[in-house]
Amino acid sequence: MLTFEELHTIVAKLNITDDIFFYKMAQNRGFCEELIQITLSKPDIRVIKSETEKFIRNIGSKSVRVDLLCEDSTGKHYQVEMQKADDDDHIKRVRYNASNVDTTIAETGIDYRDMPDLYMIYITKNDFLQGNKTIYHVERRLAETGKLVYNGINEIYINTRIDDGTLIAALMKLFKKSDHYNDLRFPKTSKQLKYLKETQEGVNSMCDLVQDFAKEYANQQVENRNVSLAKEMLTDNEPIAKIQKYSKLTLEKIQELAKEMGKTIVA
């Protein structure tokens, strides 16, 4: 368990680019709305629904947890993801996420022409597209004619590295600050930052979340060690009862690992 002082020290250093802090910021609809308005340069957008950490389960295939999913007053949907790591194929990640989000926003029996527009807003730490821009918009065009072919999916990539003097770049600078939250250009973002950083209620809610995250992280580390041990024992063709005893994993989990490894379980 972290001490009260340790929790406050951690919270003081967090900024919006940190997953745990972005999660709390995104619970505020005003922040979500302002982020989308500035990203699309459309101040009239009104967010009517927002969900954080939405888990999309796929039976038999890779499931997805999206950071933020919003819907506006016209029926358009927005998926926002904050990704600081660079050890992933960002573009293919967006592709996979979009296909999964589509399955959640499309009503049963919907005609394809009535599929709602989806905006995939993907924020990264570095300028992985290397165009020296803060924001990039992807378009689908016919190679032969250059004609734009729109399918309702809008890919937008933003990075916090490049400051190209735009309003979205200014917002990304605010995202990286842990002690500055009075920018009049971004009143809704500043208000939520001030609440989480300066009010007793907001700071306490962040401390609780950090404590829960620390517990979850510790439990995940134990789970990872148990999985590694089980894999080693499966490789050595140890009996299933012995693997269960020392790894503390369920029979179902061990069977799943064995299937992934192409191993036959020894009774």
Side-chain angles (χ1 to χ4, degrees):
M1 294 283 289
L2 296 171
T3 66
F4 179 79
E5 291 75 16
E6 287 172 331
L7 288 169
H8 273 255
T9 299
I10 292 172
V11 171
K13 293 179 179 179
L14 293 174
N15 60 48
I16 304 177
T17 67
D18 294 305
D19 289 342
I20 193 170
F21 201 77
F22 181 81
Y23 168 76
K24 290 299 289 187
M25 288 291 295
Q27 288 181 337
N28 180 273
R29 191 179 300 174
F31 163 73
C32 302
E33 187 173 85
E34 192 166 73
L35 171 59
I36 293 169
Q37 288 173 342
I38 292 170
T39 298
L40 272 65
S41 299
K42 294 182 178 179
D44 59 335
I45 289 174
R46 294 293 174 263
V47 171
I48 62 172
K49 181 181 179 182
S50 59
E51 297 178 85
T52 55
E53 293 289 314
K54 182 177 178 61
F55 188 68
I56 304 173
R57 183 177 297 280
N58 291 316
I59 298 176
S61 61
K62 183 179 177 66
S63 297
V64 171
R65 187 186 300 276
V66 298
D67 290 344
L68 174 63
L69 186 60
C70 300
E71 181 181 353
D72 73 11
S73 57
T74 67
K76 296 182 178 67
H77 288 72
Y78 308 83
Q79 195 259 304
V80 183
E81 180 164 357
M82 175 67 66
Q83 182 62 253
K84 292 179 72 173
D86 276 328
D87 58 348
D88 204 351
D89 188 323
H90 298 305
I91 293 177
K92 286 190 176 179
R93 184 186 184 96
V94 169
R95 166 191 165 186
Y96 189 75
N97 284 1
S99 65
N100 280 276
V101 172
D102 263 344
T103 65
T104 70
I105 64 177
E107 299 177 4
T108 303
I110 190 174
D111 193 296
Y112 288 128
R113 72 189 63 173
D114 297 323
M115 284 284 292
D117 286 356
L118 173 60
Y119 290 80
M120 304 296 293
I121 301 171
Y122 194 85
I123 305 173
T124 58
K125 177 182 178 181
N126 293 316
D127 178 22
F128 77 95
L129 290 172
Q130 300 180 352
N132 205 37
K133 299 291 184 181
T134 303
I135 187 168
Y136 302 92
H137 301 78
V138 176
E139 294 182 341
R140 299 174 71 249
R141 293 184 180 275
L142 297 178
E144 291 75 14
T145 66
K147 180 181 178 181
L148 182 65
V149 181
Y150 183 62
N151 66 354
I153 300 291
N154 304 269
E155 289 182 47
I156 301 172
Y157 296 90
I158 304 171
N159 69 84
T160 63
R161 175 75 67 188
I162 303 300
D163 181 1
D164 58 8
T166 58
L167 188 61
I168 188 66
L171 181 60
M172 289 303 104
K173 287 180 69 175
L174 185 59
F175 269 40
K176 295 191 291 183
K177 294 181 180 294
S178 60
D179 59 353
H180 175 75
Y181 26 84
N182 292 299
D183 196 318
L184 297 179
R185 293 171 296 180
F186 316 113
K188 296 174 182 178
T189 299
S190 295
K191 182 179 179 179
Q192 181 66 355
L193 276 167
K194 193 177 184 68
Y195 167 73
L196 293 174
K197 288 283 190 174
E198 288 192 347
T199 70
Q200 191 64 50
E201 182 181 17
V203 172
N204 286 344
S205 70
M206 277 304 310
C207 287
D208 290 341
L209 185 60
V210 170
Q211 191 74 273
D212 291 341
F213 179 81
K215 291 178 183 177
E216 182 180 341
Y217 178 79
N219 291 335
Q220 187 60 56
Q221 292 297 99
V222 172
E223 173 77 5
N224 291 343
R225 287 195 294 269
N226 289 341
V227 167
S228 295
L229 176 59
K231 286 183 175 180
E232 290 178 11
M233 297 180 76
L234 284 167
T235 300
D236 294 338
N237 297 314
E238 297 284 2
I240 184 67
K242 187 176 180 181
I243 298 176
Q244 279 187 280
K245 178 181 178 180
Y246 289 101
S247 72
K248 305 295 191 299
L249 297 179
T250 64
L251 175 61
E252 291 74 16
K253 181 63 177 179
I254 296 171
Q255 289 174 331
E256 179 185 325
L257 292 173
K259 183 177 180 181
E260 291 176 0
M261 297 170 65
K263 299 289 294 185
T264 301
I265 293 180
V266 179

